[in-house]
Amino acid sequence: MSDERGGTGGAELVARSLRQQGVRLIFGVVGVPVTPIAEAAQRLGIRYIGMRNEQAASYAAQAAGYLTGRPQACLAVSGPGVVHALAGLANAQANCWPMLLLGGASPGYQEGMGAFQEERQLLATTPFTKLSRRVERTDRIPFFVEQAVRTALFGRPGPTYLELPEEVIEGSVEGEAPEAPTVPEPPRPEAPAEAVLAALDALRAAERPLVVVGKGMAWARAEAEVRELVERTQLPFLATPMGKGVVPDSHPLSVAAARSTALREADVILLLGARLNWMLHFGRPPRFRPDVRILQVDLSPEQLGQNVPAEVALSGDGRSVSRQLLRALDERPWEYPQESTWRTTLQQQMERNAQQVAPMLDDESAPTSYYRAFREIRRAIPPGSMIVSEGANTMDIGRTQLPNEEPRTRLDAGTHGTMGVGLGYAIAAACVDPTRPVVAVEGDSAFGFSGMELETAARYGLPVTVVVLNNGGIGSGMPTEPPPEGMRAPGALSADARYELVAEAFGGAGFRAERPEEIEPALRAALRSGLPSVVSVAIDPGAGRKPQQFHWNTRLEPGAEAAGAGTGASGQ
């Protein structure tokens, strides 16, 4: 579409370039000077979702990028709008998810004069992005959009930022509009052949082997190859939180229910698209053997050997390297013995953990425990649903109690431990695949970060269902020591808050469950409603996890782990 001067307008050129590079969803909050970009995008068939906060918009854009396999966009106004979206950039960077933030900017000819919403946006975004650029002329828009999308997608995925000053958006290009090449699918490099053979040799020699499946394999769309690899080798495996479903949680070779034992006693670990950061306790004692041998598959060479040296480093795309391993198995077939001390050890620990949890699953108390609540939630969620989760106990316990049978069907606080991602993620998931039910299970604190996005879901007819587990506080419950007179505990929230009424206020459906037996029928009714809905569940403020051997956040100082337990991040 041409502007009134006969050329191609800047907003139109932004939208056209986005569409060419595979952007089909923009989440944002419009205003000066970016509103024309959203309008132009809609004219070209790009779906624009107007959010209530730039944080939620940036969370939605990165989740959509992860789920679609192409960077999707967040649109923010200048100054405070871009600053709000920084949280999303940081979260996308930590999770290695692609997204493109488009930020408006005050006019360049007013720079340094105290212009409306003038801010040093490039300085602010640079630490959190793979690329931050200011588009200085309208005719350069296609070049920078191509560069931003390619950078976000190629190599280790991540966020990028483009700054669009007002005069660039309002500018025009005379004659034929410039174009840039279309970004192709990213390269899928293979690992060195000798490394592939060395990895299989190490697994053959292992007495206590283990496969750890990370979300990098979900990003690589390697689910078919990873499942075949596990089944042909008969190796026990466990998944990181968002690696769940790459191989179904119900698979008989899964040892997730003995996670701590598996990690602590394995002598050789094949690390598939997972990082040895805090979520895997840095690969260090006491959570791992001091002499553990790491075989690491990672797209980023810089990540290989992080915290623990990789005995075999397989730098390459997760799907490509998995296929290399399978081809090597064709030539030299091998599988781990069906009968072994290692299998017996893991099976016995899974049975002990199941026995420990069983009374909590059957607890009839009201308010209910987390485990009993999750038993009811699990019964009600349809197979193949997208599960979004955030909160402390809510998320940690939910990882063990809500199974995922398909890849990319779990989204949670992730590597950055970010609270407030839930509604943005849920809205993105509903936009990417309207046929898949979306259930967000959130703590009351987590829901408070982005609950207003229920209005967004209602406005766009997105039937996301939110289950709020309300224990009346931030974290694991109320403190044992009361606060000074006249004060409230720092982590205290309203235990009697009627979160379900928020959904009703926006035209959705609200349900309340005060007893455990009320949860399943309430959730089923919410899902049947076809509306954005909230099921508010009363949780005992004293409820928590089953006893854990280790503190949830691994201590590396000498002797610190001997202090014992706290809330854990995994089953033992």
Side-chain angles (χ1 to χ4, degrees):
M1 180 177 179
S2 299
D3 68 8
E4 59 187 17
R5 291 162 293 183
T8 302
E12 185 76 15
L13 197 50
V14 171
R16 186 183 301 180
S17 300
L18 292 173
R19 186 182 66 173
Q20 178 191 354
Q21 303 302 345
V23 174
R24 296 294 179 263
L25 289 164
I26 301 176
F27 304 87
V29 180
V30 295
V32 175
V34 300
T35 300
I37 295 175
E39 294 171 340
Q42 289 181 323
R43 289 194 297 269
L44 291 176
I46 298 174
R47 191 175 187 187
Y48 175 79
I49 303 293
M51 307 287 282
R52 301 303 299 264
N53 183 283
E54 290 90 355
Q55 280 192 19
S58 63
Y59 297 145
Q62 65 194 256
Y66 170 66
L67 295 173
T68 63
R70 296 284 294 192
Q72 303 301 307
C74 172
L75 183 65
V77 300
S78 52
V82 171
V83 171
H84 287 169
L86 291 179
L89 294 181
N91 191 66
Q93 181 185 64
N95 276 337
C96 306
W97 285 354
M99 66 167 285
L100 170 59
L101 173 62
L102 300 168
S106 51
Y109 56 81
Q110 294 179 348
E111 187 170 352
M113 299 175 66
F116 175 67
Q117 294 187 335
E118 181 180 356
E119 188 51 85
R120 295 170 296 173
Q121 294 164 197
L122 287 178
L123 182 65
T125 57
T126 295
F128 305 112
T129 58
K130 295 180 69 179
L131 174 83
S132 287
R133 292 285 187 267
R134 180 181 178 94
V135 182
E136 78 282 9
R137 298 198 317 261
T138 302
D139 64 346
R140 296 267 283 165
I141 288 171
F143 169 82
F144 279 113
V145 170
E146 186 276 341
Q147 186 181 59
V149 169
R150 175 167 42 84
T151 304
L153 184 60
F154 280 26
R156 181 177 290 278
T160 56
Y161 168 70
L162 290 182
E163 182 165 291
L164 296 161
E166 181 179 291
E167 69 272 23
V168 171
I169 296 172
E170 295 180 351
S172 179
V173 176
E174 300 300 325
E176 186 174 349
E179 289 188 0
T182 300
V183 175
E185 289 301 301
R188 291 187 173 272
E190 292 188 342
E194 60 272 20
V196 173
L197 296 177
L200 290 178
D201 286 342
L203 289 170
R204 287 187 181 94
E207 294 182 3
R208 297 184 169 216
L210 178 69
V211 177
V212 176
V213 182
K215 72 174 178 287
M217 306 309 279
W219 166 254
R221 274 56 180 174
E223 51 267 23
E225 290 79 6
V226 174
R227 180 166 184 169
E228 184 179 353
L229 180 63
V230 166
E231 291 178 345
R232 287 178 59 180
T233 60
Q234 288 295 295
L235 289 169
F237 78 93
L238 58 83
T240 64
M242 282 190 278
K244 283 162 59 71
V246 171
V247 183
D249 283 346
S250 61
H251 197 285
L253 290 170
S254 172
V255 294
R259 180 181 185 274
S260 290
T261 298
L263 293 176
R264 185 178 63 247
E265 298 187 19
D267 60 353
V268 176
I269 295 178
L270 177 59
L271 200 65
L272 297 176
R275 292 172 283 174
L276 290 177
N277 53 24
W278 71 273
M279 296 185 76
L280 283 175
H281 324 294
F282 312 108
R284 303 278 191 87
R287 302 302 296 268
F288 288 72
R289 288 169 53 136
D291 60 348
V292 66
R293 302 165 65 193
I294 299 295
L295 322 173
Q296 187 173 3
V297 177
D298 201 282
L299 182 61
S300 174
E302 297 88 346
Q303 192 62 42
L304 297 169
Q306 176 74 12
N307 294 322
V308 177
E311 178 176 309
V312 180
L314 299 112
S315 176
D317 168 72
R319 191 166 73 189
S320 296
V321 176
S322 296
R323 288 177 176 176
Q324 287 180 277
L325 290 166
L326 291 171
R327 289 196 298 268
L329 281 171
D330 288 338
E331 298 178 7
R332 294 177 60 196
W334 166 84
E335 69 175 43
Y336 187 65
Q338 293 295 321
E339 302 293 332
S340 69
T341 302
W342 182 224
R343 289 198 196 276
T344 301
T345 298
L346 294 171
Q347 184 60 40
Q348 290 175 345
Q349 186 61 56
M350 288 191 285
E351 291 171 359
R352 283 194 291 269
N353 285 340
Q355 292 170 1
Q356 195 173 16
V357 169
M360 293 184 277
L361 294 174
D362 296 332
D363 187 1
E364 297 289 342
S365 302
T368 189
S369 70
Y370 286 97
Y371 287 89
R372 178 58 191 274
F374 276 114
R375 190 188 87 172
E376 303 301 317
I377 293 169
R378 180 173 178 170
R379 289 174 170 174
I381 293 180
S385 295
M386 173 65 72
I387 298 173
V388 180
S389 184
E390 58 175 334
N393 280 332
T394 299
M395 182 176 65
D396 285 345
I397 299 173
R399 286 170 175 168
T400 68
Q401 300 302 307
L402 296 180
N404 294 89
E405 300 300 299
E406 300 176 33
R408 298 172 297 282
T409 55
R410 180 181 173 87
L411 302 170
D412 68 18
T415 308
H416 220 31
T418 306
M419 292 296 108
V421 297
L423 268 294
Y425 282 3
I427 286 169
C431 290
V432 169
D433 186 356
T435 67
R436 188 184 296 275
V438 179
V439 180
V441 186
E442 311 210 343
D444 50 329
S445 171
F447 177 72
F449 281 85
S450 59
M452 188 59 72
E453 298 300 338
L454 280 171
E455 189 276 332
T456 303
R459 186 168 12 108
Y460 289 97
L462 304 172
V464 300
T465 298
V466 182
V467 180
V468 180
L469 301 186
N470 184 4
N471 71 342
I474 298 173
S476 58
M478 302 305 295
T480 55
E481 294 294 328
E485 185 176 354
M487 298 185 183
R488 292 182 64 84
L493 299 173
S494 300
D496 56 353
R498 300 293 301 273
Y499 293 111
E500 75 280 6
L501 298 181
V502 177
E504 294 182 7
F506 297 132
F511 303 87
R512 185 172 177 82
E514 298 183 349
R515 299 192 58 81
E517 64 271 17
E518 297 171 349
I519 299 172
E520 181 184 0
L523 181 49
R524 289 188 182 276
L527 289 162
R528 285 196 304 268
S529 73
L531 299 170
S533 57
V534 171
V535 179
S536 184
V537 178
I539 298 291
D540 179 359
R545 301 212 58 191
K546 71 179 181 66
Q548 301 291 299
Q549 180 180 3
F550 298 106
H551 190 277
W552 70 272
N553 191 11
T554 302
R555 308 294 199 234
L556 295 180
E557 298 82 7
E561 286 288 350
T567 300
S570 63
Q572 295 177 36

